[in-house]
Amino acid sequence: MKIVSAQEMRDLDRRASTEFHIPSIVLMENAGLRVVEAVQTALAGIKLPQVVVIAGKGNNGGDGFVVSRHLINSGFHVDTFLLGDPSKLTPDAALNFRILQSISDRVFVVSDTGELQGLLAPLSGCDLVVDAIYGIGFHGEMPSLESEVVKMVNQSGKPVVAVDIPSGVEADTGKVRGEAIRATWTVTMALPKKAFFLEPGRSYTGMLTVGDISIPRCLLEAPNIKTNLVTEDWVAPWFLPRPAETHKGSFGHVLVVGGSVGLTGAVVMAAEAALRSGAGLVTAAVPQSLQPAIESRLIEVMTTPLPETSLKTISLEALPALQSLLERTSVCVAGPGMGRYPEARAVIRFVLETAGVPVIIDADGLNALAEDLGVLKDRQIPVILTPHPGEMSGLSGLSVAEIQADRLEVARGFASEWGVTLVLKGHNTVIATPGGDVYVNVTGNPGMATAGSGDVLSGIIAGFMAQGLLPDQAAISGVYVHGKAGDEAKKEKGERGLNAMDIVHYIPAVLKAFESR
Ligand SMILES: NC(=O)C1=CN([C@@H]2O[C@H](COP(=O)(O)OP(=O)(O)OC[C@H]3O[C@@H](n4cnc5c(N)ncnc54)[C@H](O)[C@@H]3O)[C@@H](O)[C@H]2O)[C@@H](O)CC1
Ligand SMILES: [K+]
């Protein structure tokens, strides 16, 4: 499913009218109906439900008038408030306003903060508020009248269903510059908007559902829209049951390079995750004095001791051994638990320059790469980088706040500039491809913000790539599966008790569900 900017949505609305002859008033009618369904669901079981609909002067307000009409027709008590001058309504909204006025005597115009008293009693007596003040046409800070109303709604403590987007949230940036509606449920039209995946917009959205307003499917799948939501329907077909005639060599060989004193667990988790994700063979190449400890924790994974520095980190003498390992593997993960030390930069450079196979750089490997980004320019192999916002700050030179405020575009820009697949981790992990596409993931939970979770992710991505998925596919499905396994683990352990190995433990169940679809 695509995720759109306000302009992309306006273009789809316009094309539905101009190329497919669907009148905009029909789209508005459908939008209203989708919200009505949500309100009816939210208030199911309540006798004589009372609803307050608050509408602005744009088409979002027009949707609100449609909602009022249908709710009245189905027996609800509805008070509708238009904020501002009815003569300023858009044509479709004006028509729906006239229709509503002709069927209801509880339609009120509020044009000044002095008239807000009239809103108090209906707000305190209602079961639910419908927010149709502003939609995707909104940007900046709202005027004082609307701002006061939003405060009143938020303070009322009533459930709020937002039409298309909570009023006050900017559709493209998720920014809130003054007041904004804190929605319980947002019913967005046709496609999700970027704001739902960016803070603070995401926090104002509440539950999100997407309503079909009859925009033709071929428009909704427009290839020129470059931002996508990762869905199971899309990922699962990459995980069909395996053909009968196979052996372990058919599913590739993952090499994990990393480990240092105190960070051996990172290698263990990446290697285990790769194996559980279906890789045929996994080898962990680690500093030699740590090898016995790692070997004792890994049964199916092979381990190789590498020459080490006095700090027991991988030394430059290890490079020939690394080269021969790289020649025997199908994908390499470099960085888990590697430690931060001067030679790390040369080790990472060597891997990127020598490997003839795709390379995933994670964790300390990313910190080493950040000092030496130029190496990305001349290589021939696909590269996947999996930074969290702090590591992304090192790679990009932007602050964490700047990255978080614009995650989709920061990821897109970096992946395009450096020709890598970039996995920017965090709530709603973003995957950006070298071709300029961005994918937003919705699986996962706060319990996964735990030590080793990132190592598991890089292991899963490597495991998928070893089995033949393309780098972009492996990154997208890896992030989805990682989050889904974390969600399954949460059902058993809750958020606080969840650890990274619990995520590994649930990978097989997630993949099994794909295979048996
Ligand atoms: N054909 C269409 O375009 C459809 C539009 N639909 C609805 O229409 C909405 C978009 O409608 P509009 O484009 O009319 O805009 P909105 O209804 O979102 O906003 C109303 C007006 O507020 C103004 N505005 C923006 N920022 C402001 C600020 N800071 N202070 C004061 N005024 C500000 C804008 O100029 C805009 O004209 C969608 O979110 C959706 O709910 C749906 O009815 C489906 C079909
Ligand atoms: K709204």
Side-chain angles (χ1 to χ4, degrees), residues 33 77 87 96 127 136 142 160 269-270 275 280 282-283 378 381 384 414 443 455 463 482:
L33 284 168
H77 176 98
S87 70
N96 274 307
D127 300 299
I136 58 169
M142 60 180 78
V160 182
M269 285 184 278
L275 208 58
V282 180
T283 297
D378 307 319
I381 47 155
I384 299 181
F414 191 93
T443 59
D455 305 313
H482 179 251

Short mmCIF file of all heavy atoms in Angstrom, two decimals, residues 33 77 87 96 127 136 142 160 269-270 275 280 282-283 378 381 384 414 443 455 463 482:
data_model
loop_
_atom_site.label_atom_id
_atom_site.label_comp_id
_atom_site.label_asym_id
_atom_site.label_seq_id
_atom_site.Cartn_x
_atom_site.Cartn_y
_atom_site.Cartn_z
N LEU A 33 -19.21 8.37 4.51
CA LEU A 33 -19.74 7.05 4.87
C LEU A 33 -18.72 6.20 5.62
O LEU A 33 -19.06 5.47 6.56
CB LEU A 33 -20.22 6.31 3.61
CG LEU A 33 -21.55 6.81 3.06
CD1 LEU A 33 -21.80 6.25 1.65
CD2 LEU A 33 -22.71 6.41 3.99
N HIS A 77 -28.46 11.40 17.69
CA HIS A 77 -28.66 12.82 17.96
C HIS A 77 -27.34 13.52 17.59
O HIS A 77 -26.31 13.23 18.17
CB HIS A 77 -28.99 13.03 19.43
CG HIS A 77 -29.12 14.47 19.80
ND1 HIS A 77 -30.34 15.11 19.90
CD2 HIS A 77 -28.18 15.42 20.05
CE1 HIS A 77 -30.14 16.37 20.21
NE2 HIS A 77 -28.83 16.59 20.31
N SER A 87 -20.40 31.33 3.73
CA SER A 87 -20.18 31.77 2.35
C SER A 87 -18.77 31.42 1.86
O SER A 87 -18.48 31.50 0.67
CB SER A 87 -20.42 33.28 2.22
OG SER A 87 -19.37 33.97 2.88
N ASN A 96 -23.26 20.16 0.63
CA ASN A 96 -23.58 19.26 1.75
C ASN A 96 -24.07 20.04 2.97
O ASN A 96 -24.88 19.52 3.74
CB ASN A 96 -22.38 18.38 2.10
CG ASN A 96 -22.35 17.13 1.23
OD1 ASN A 96 -23.35 16.40 1.16
ND2 ASN A 96 -21.25 16.92 0.52
N ASP A 127 -21.43 11.47 23.28
CA ASP A 127 -20.68 10.22 23.44
C ASP A 127 -19.40 10.22 22.62
O ASP A 127 -18.49 9.45 22.89
CB ASP A 127 -21.54 9.03 23.00
CG ASP A 127 -22.82 8.93 23.81
OD1 ASP A 127 -22.72 8.75 25.03
OD2 ASP A 127 -23.92 9.06 23.22
N ILE A 136 -6.11 17.46 4.88
CA ILE A 136 -4.75 17.53 4.35
C ILE A 136 -4.42 18.91 3.78
O ILE A 136 -3.29 19.16 3.39
CB ILE A 136 -4.51 16.44 3.26
CG1 ILE A 136 -5.52 16.61 2.11
CG2 ILE A 136 -4.61 15.05 3.87
CD1 ILE A 136 -5.18 15.76 0.90
N MET A 142 -3.09 27.05 13.47
CA MET A 142 -4.49 27.41 13.19
C MET A 142 -4.89 28.72 13.88
O MET A 142 -4.30 29.09 14.89
CB MET A 142 -5.43 26.26 13.56
CG MET A 142 -5.42 25.83 14.99
SD MET A 142 -6.59 24.47 15.27
CE MET A 142 -5.75 23.05 14.66
N VAL A 160 -12.63 10.78 20.10
CA VAL A 160 -12.68 11.63 18.91
C VAL A 160 -12.34 10.79 17.68
O VAL A 160 -11.30 10.13 17.64
CB VAL A 160 -11.66 12.79 18.99
CG1 VAL A 160 -11.77 13.68 17.76
CG2 VAL A 160 -11.86 13.60 20.26
N MET A 269 23.80 -13.72 18.62
CA MET A 269 22.41 -13.44 18.24
C MET A 269 22.26 -13.25 16.73
O MET A 269 21.30 -13.74 16.13
CB MET A 269 21.91 -12.22 19.01
CG MET A 269 21.62 -12.63 20.45
SD MET A 269 20.91 -11.34 21.43
CE MET A 269 22.36 -10.44 21.88
N ALA A 270 23.22 -12.56 16.10
CA ALA A 270 23.13 -12.39 14.64
C ALA A 270 23.22 -13.75 13.96
O ALA A 270 22.47 -14.05 13.02
CB ALA A 270 24.24 -11.46 14.15
N LEU A 275 20.47 -18.31 11.09
CA LEU A 275 20.16 -19.73 10.97
C LEU A 275 18.65 -19.97 11.06
O LEU A 275 18.06 -20.69 10.26
CB LEU A 275 20.86 -20.46 12.11
CG LEU A 275 21.24 -21.90 11.90
CD1 LEU A 275 22.15 -22.07 10.68
CD2 LEU A 275 21.96 -22.42 13.14
N GLY A 280 21.41 -21.77 5.00
CA GLY A 280 21.88 -23.15 5.00
C GLY A 280 23.05 -23.33 5.95
O GLY A 280 23.12 -24.30 6.70
N VAL A 282 26.02 -21.06 8.51
CA VAL A 282 26.42 -19.78 9.12
C VAL A 282 27.79 -19.97 9.75
O VAL A 282 28.03 -20.95 10.46
CB VAL A 282 25.41 -19.33 10.21
CG1 VAL A 282 25.85 -18.00 10.81
CG2 VAL A 282 24.00 -19.20 9.63
N THR A 283 28.68 -19.01 9.47
CA THR A 283 30.00 -19.01 10.11
C THR A 283 30.18 -17.69 10.86
O THR A 283 29.89 -16.63 10.31
CB THR A 283 31.12 -19.13 9.05
OG1 THR A 283 30.98 -20.39 8.39
CG2 THR A 283 32.50 -19.06 9.70
N ASP A 378 33.01 3.43 -4.49
CA ASP A 378 33.69 2.70 -5.55
C ASP A 378 33.37 1.21 -5.58
O ASP A 378 33.91 0.48 -6.39
CB ASP A 378 35.22 2.84 -5.37
CG ASP A 378 35.61 4.30 -5.27
OD1 ASP A 378 35.03 5.09 -6.02
OD2 ASP A 378 36.46 4.63 -4.42
N ILE A 381 29.50 -4.20 -5.04
CA ILE A 381 28.55 -5.11 -4.41
C ILE A 381 27.38 -4.35 -3.75
O ILE A 381 27.54 -3.20 -3.38
CB ILE A 381 29.26 -5.93 -3.31
CG1 ILE A 381 30.10 -4.95 -2.45
CG2 ILE A 381 30.09 -7.05 -3.88
CD1 ILE A 381 30.37 -5.42 -1.07
N ILE A 384 23.93 -3.10 2.51
CA ILE A 384 22.80 -2.73 3.37
C ILE A 384 23.37 -2.15 4.65
O ILE A 384 24.24 -2.76 5.28
CB ILE A 384 21.91 -3.95 3.69
CG1 ILE A 384 21.32 -4.53 2.42
CG2 ILE A 384 20.80 -3.56 4.66
CD1 ILE A 384 20.40 -5.73 2.65
N PHE A 414 19.81 9.60 1.86
CA PHE A 414 21.09 8.93 2.08
C PHE A 414 21.24 7.71 1.18
O PHE A 414 22.29 7.48 0.57
CB PHE A 414 21.22 8.52 3.56
CG PHE A 414 22.60 8.06 3.93
CD1 PHE A 414 23.52 8.94 4.46
CD2 PHE A 414 22.99 6.73 3.72
CE1 PHE A 414 24.81 8.51 4.79
CE2 PHE A 414 24.27 6.31 4.04
CZ PHE A 414 25.18 7.20 4.57
N THR A 443 5.17 -3.44 11.95
CA THR A 443 5.24 -4.47 12.99
C THR A 443 6.26 -4.04 14.04
O THR A 443 7.08 -3.15 13.82
CB THR A 443 5.66 -5.83 12.40
OG1 THR A 443 6.93 -5.68 11.76
CG2 THR A 443 4.64 -6.35 11.40
N ASP A 455 21.11 -6.82 16.42
CA ASP A 455 21.93 -7.93 15.91
C ASP A 455 21.03 -9.00 15.29
O ASP A 455 21.36 -9.59 14.27
CB ASP A 455 22.75 -8.53 17.06
CG ASP A 455 23.59 -7.48 17.77
OD1 ASP A 455 24.25 -6.70 17.07
OD2 ASP A 455 23.54 -7.42 19.01
N GLY A 463 20.19 -13.84 6.57
CA GLY A 463 19.64 -15.17 6.31
C GLY A 463 18.75 -15.17 5.08
O GLY A 463 18.80 -16.09 4.25
N HIS A 482 11.16 -9.45 11.67
CA HIS A 482 11.75 -9.11 12.98
C HIS A 482 10.68 -8.51 13.88
O HIS A 482 10.50 -8.93 15.03
CB HIS A 482 12.89 -8.12 12.71
CG HIS A 482 13.61 -7.62 13.91
ND1 HIS A 482 13.47 -6.33 14.36
CD2 HIS A 482 14.50 -8.21 14.73
CE1 HIS A 482 14.26 -6.15 15.41
NE2 HIS A 482 14.89 -7.27 15.67
#
